[in-house]
Amino acid sequence: MSSEYKNIDELIRQLGGCNRFQCALTTSISLTYMSTAFTLIFMSFGMYNPGWRCLDNASTIITNSIFTLDNNVRGTKSVLDNNVTILLNDTEGMSPKFNNGFSETCVGFQECDDVQFRQEESTVVTEWGLICEGAWKVSTITSSQMAGMTVGYFISGYLGDAFGRKLTMEINVLFKGILTLISVGSGSWEIFAVLKFFIGVSCGVVKSISLVYATEFVTPKWRVIITSLPMWSFGCALFSLCAMAFKDWRYIHIVDGVFTILLLIPGYVFPESLRWLIIRRKEKKAARVVNQMVKLNKVEISGEVNINSVANQRESNNIESINIYSFIQLFKPGAKCNTLILSFVTFVINLTYFLSTFGVALLPGDIYLNNLIIYATGFPGNIIAWFAPNIFGRKRTGVVTLLVQGVSLSIFLVLDVYSRGMIRDIGVLVFIIIARNCCSLNWYVALTCTCELFPTTYRATASGWMLFISGVGAAITPYLAINHDVVIVSYLVTSCLCITGSLMFTIIPETLGKDLADTTSSFADINENSHVDGEVQLQLI
């Protein structure tokens, strides 16, 4: 007895669509994705200066007093309440900050021979004394990690498409865990920065490949749900709890490294992407994957699997001849338009999200309360992403939310410039929250469209490219939030970009309910709004 399927998606539906196998695989991949969030936000604690005191009795500037230091320091004079004259930070336009009546100072730190940091907390700053003249080293470490992540995004597509989703992800998870544990023994900040660069590379690869890997095993309605699972938020929350519990950068790295390596255990059980195996003509391995899904999902398909034909002979020859996948493929006819539009949209989304993140200090009201409210109200975007794209379609959801995102930023600008008092304070916060939730929803729609609009042959390459471009948007935002005037202009420009992105998104083909393209010919069919996924035939005997 044999069963024929015209494409891989039809086979996946027969194998359960989104059943026990897919749920278990998604859980494993989501935990791995969560661990990258844990790792990448470490420097939010690592760059923290808990305060210090000078134990040098010969110092006439500071004696046995706790100070917290801003990393941006220069020198002006001030007199404290205790009539001790010290040199204060020149905060370049910002008002001086005080901690329990003591001012921030760097000259006192530099002239003290016996410095003791607050012993309750151990960070990268306290480990190597990276304050004052050494403050740039903290930024270098952070930049090193972000640069590594961007490199990881860039190479992830080639690795995932050439060597497989699982192998690429598992190797980088292993590297991430090992390098994280090795970094605990760093003897200098330079070694730590180099290790952070390679950890960032591994995180970038894992972050890019994980979503592609998970979505290739499920049916259309589940793809957007998988991409919108709030695992990044959970990872950030887990890190916060870990930092509060240990308050020591070494212990945090040990927890991170051990947790990461343990994630290899469930990852070892699950197979390579079925789509990738079929496209790469690995029939025996593909058959074993199908049998594994049959057993775990308890569906009634008996017999061994024989994959007779994946595509027509012309497509087969083309696949066999492509050994190196590059971003050039994304800019060839048929893919170029989607690539440019999604690149622009992901850039604008990250620009808006991180601009509101770095600009929160310039919002009216208490900074800590603003942060709490903004992050606590960030889940509606995730929840809406679970059903809106499946009800209204990917295109319509993206068009509307990008438009709302741009309009929200415009209203924010009007309230910030022309209103005063409580109306301004509450209004600007409300519309920033709306814009950020639209960012979350748009992000998941863009990721889903990326997975659905590009074929299996270079889907990972497309995902890596989009994340790379979004990383560029995130990287420039710190320079757009240096003061209130610059932020206002930045929000104005970003608002216009959001509205432009909304108009551009109308050109994107609707992919709701359509099967994933597996070859370039089936990819052309999707862009022509066809429901047929190429000449793919599978036989189950």
Side-chain angles (χ1 to χ4, degrees):
M1 178 179 178
S2 64
S3 300
E4 295 186 0
Y5 300 91
K6 67 179 181 181
N7 55 45
I8 301 173
D9 277 284
E10 187 175 328
L11 173 61
I12 289 177
R13 290 187 186 95
Q14 185 65 31
L15 292 172
C18 189
N19 210 314
R20 295 182 183 89
F21 174 88
Q22 286 88 345
C23 290
L25 175 66
T26 300
T27 300
S28 175
I29 294 174
S30 296
L31 289 173
T32 304
Y33 187 84
M34 184 178 71
S35 74
T36 64
F38 188 104
T39 302
L40 290 173
I41 68 168
F42 164 77
M43 285 307 293
S44 64
F45 171 79
M47 65 192 301
Y48 170 59
N49 169 35
W52 63 276
R53 63 181 178 179
C54 181
L55 301 179
D56 185 0
N57 292 328
S59 174
T60 59
I61 297 181
I62 309 168
T63 304
N64 297 328
S65 299
I66 296 294
F67 289 80
T68 56
L69 304 179
D70 187 7
N71 286 338
N72 299 316
V73 291
R74 298 295 182 265
T76 55
K77 288 189 177 181
S78 180
V79 180
L80 299 182
D81 293 338
N82 58 4
N83 294 323
V84 178
T85 302
I86 63 172
L87 289 181
L88 280 181
N89 298 339
D90 177 7
T91 55
E92 298 182 355
M94 297 192 303
S95 58
K97 300 177 181 178
F98 296 87
N99 183 30
N100 297 326
F102 296 101
S103 173
E104 302 165 344
T105 178
C106 272
V107 174
F109 175 82
Q110 295 162 353
E111 296 185 5
C112 182
D113 296 325
D114 189 3
V115 173
Q116 182 185 67
F117 284 94
R118 196 185 297 271
Q119 296 181 345
E120 293 84 357
E121 297 152 307
S122 176
T123 68
V124 174
V125 170
T126 66
E127 181 68 25
W128 293 292
L130 306 183
I131 56 176
C132 303
E133 293 298 324
W136 64 272
K137 299 173 185 178
V138 180
S139 299
T140 300
I141 295 172
T142 306
S143 298
S144 176
Q145 179 177 268
M146 298 304 293
M149 183 181 68
T150 304
V151 171
Y153 287 158
F154 195 80
I155 66 175
S156 63
Y158 166 78
L159 296 175
D161 286 333
F163 302 106
R165 289 34 166 156
K166 177 184 176 179
L167 180 63
T168 300
M169 192 172 78
E170 292 297 293
I171 288 178
N172 280 277
V173 168
L174 178 62
F175 283 165
K176 172 179 171 293
I178 293 175
L179 291 174
T180 300
L181 292 175
I182 291 176
S183 66
V184 173
S186 299
S188 66
W189 73 267
E190 293 92 343
I191 294 176
F192 187 73
V194 171
L195 289 172
K196 275 296 178 183
F197 173 83
F198 289 105
I199 291 172
V201 172
S202 296
C203 286
V205 173
V206 171
K207 189 178 175 185
S208 176
I209 294 296
S210 59
L211 293 176
V212 174
Y213 185 21
T215 56
E216 289 184 339
F217 276 100
V218 297
T219 49
K221 73 174 183 178
W222 292 103
R223 293 174 199 146
V224 70
I225 295 177
I226 288 177
T227 58
S228 61
L229 291 174
M231 303 312 297
W232 180 270
S233 299
F234 287 147
C236 295
L238 181 62
F239 171 82
S240 300
L241 293 174
C242 186
M244 290 175 61
F246 294 107
K247 298 180 180 179
D248 189 306
W249 72 274
R250 282 192 168 89
Y251 290 142
I252 294 173
H253 274 67
I254 291 173
V255 171
D256 185 14
V258 172
F259 177 68
T260 299
I261 292 176
L262 289 176
L263 290 173
L264 291 170
I265 298 175
Y268 176 79
V269 176
F270 294 104
E272 178 57 81
S273 167
L274 176 62
R275 291 179 182 277
W276 185 85
L277 290 173
I278 293 174
I279 294 301
R280 300 294 292 183
R281 293 292 193 272
K282 300 180 184 293
E283 292 90 351
K284 292 183 180 180
K285 290 184 178 181
R288 287 198 293 268
V289 174
V290 173
N291 290 332
Q292 184 177 355
M293 295 174 70
V294 167
K295 292 178 181 178
L296 191 56
N297 288 341
K298 297 182 179 180
V299 293
E300 296 182 358
I301 295 180
S302 61
E304 295 182 357
V305 177
N306 179 26
I307 302 174
N308 288 329
S309 177
V310 177
N312 55 40
Q313 186 62 35
R314 174 174 171 268
E315 190 66 26
S316 175
N317 293 336
N318 187 41
I319 292 173
E320 294 297 331
S321 65
I322 299 177
N323 295 318
I324 299 178
Y325 298 85
S326 70
F327 295 110
I328 297 176
Q329 190 74 29
L330 301 175
F331 296 94
K332 290 186 176 180
K336 179 170 62 176
C337 182
N338 292 337
T339 299
L340 293 175
I341 293 173
L342 288 172
S343 297
F344 181 84
V345 168
T346 53
F347 174 84
V348 171
I349 291 170
N350 258 24
L351 188 67
T352 305
Y353 185 86
F354 285 99
L355 184 59
S356 62
T357 298
F358 293 122
V360 69
L362 302 175
L363 293 175
D366 182 74
I367 181 176
Y368 301 105
L369 182 59
N370 287 344
N371 263 319
L372 178 62
I373 293 174
I374 285 176
Y375 286 109
T377 55
F379 286 97
N382 295 78
I383 297 173
I384 296 173
W386 294 350
F387 60 85
N390 284 330
I391 295 176
F392 306 108
R394 280 61 157 145
K395 179 197 288 190
R396 190 176 301 174
T397 302
V399 170
V400 172
T401 50
L402 276 168
L403 182 61
V404 173
Q405 182 175 313
V407 172
S408 298
L409 292 178
S410 300
I411 297 175
F412 161 82
L413 290 173
V414 173
L415 291 172
D416 187 72
V417 174
Y418 295 105
S419 64
R420 294 292 181 269
M422 185 176 294
I423 294 178
R424 174 178 179 267
D425 294 351
I426 296 177
V428 296
L429 195 58
V430 166
F431 284 99
I432 281 296
I433 290 172
I434 293 174
R436 285 175 64 89
N437 275 279
C438 287
C439 283
S440 297
L441 179 53
N442 287 327
W443 178 251
Y444 301 129
V445 170
L447 287 179
T448 303
C449 287
T450 300
C451 291
E452 294 178 337
L453 284 173
F454 296 93
T456 303
T457 48
Y458 56 91
R459 182 175 296 120
T461 300
S463 177
W465 172 260
M466 300 309 165
L467 287 170
F468 172 74
I469 294 298
S470 69
V472 174
I476 67 174
T477 49
Y479 304 100
L480 304 178
I482 56 177
N483 60 55
H484 186 267
D485 292 337
V486 174
V487 165
I488 292 299
V489 175
S490 300
Y491 274 130
L492 178 61
V493 174
T494 305
S495 175
C496 296
L497 293 177
C498 290
I499 296 173
T500 303
S502 176
L503 296 175
M504 294 175 65
F505 213 79
T506 60
I507 305 175
I508 290 287
E510 179 56 71
T511 58
L512 175 62
K514 295 186 179 180
D515 299 332
L516 288 181
D518 291 303
T519 62
T520 53
S521 62
S522 58
F523 167 65
D525 291 338
I526 279 197
N527 283 279
E528 293 172 2
N529 296 321
S530 171
H531 286 266
V532 180
D533 228 18
E535 298 178 16
V536 183
Q537 184 181 35
L538 306 178
Q539 277 196 351
L540 301 182
I541 301 175

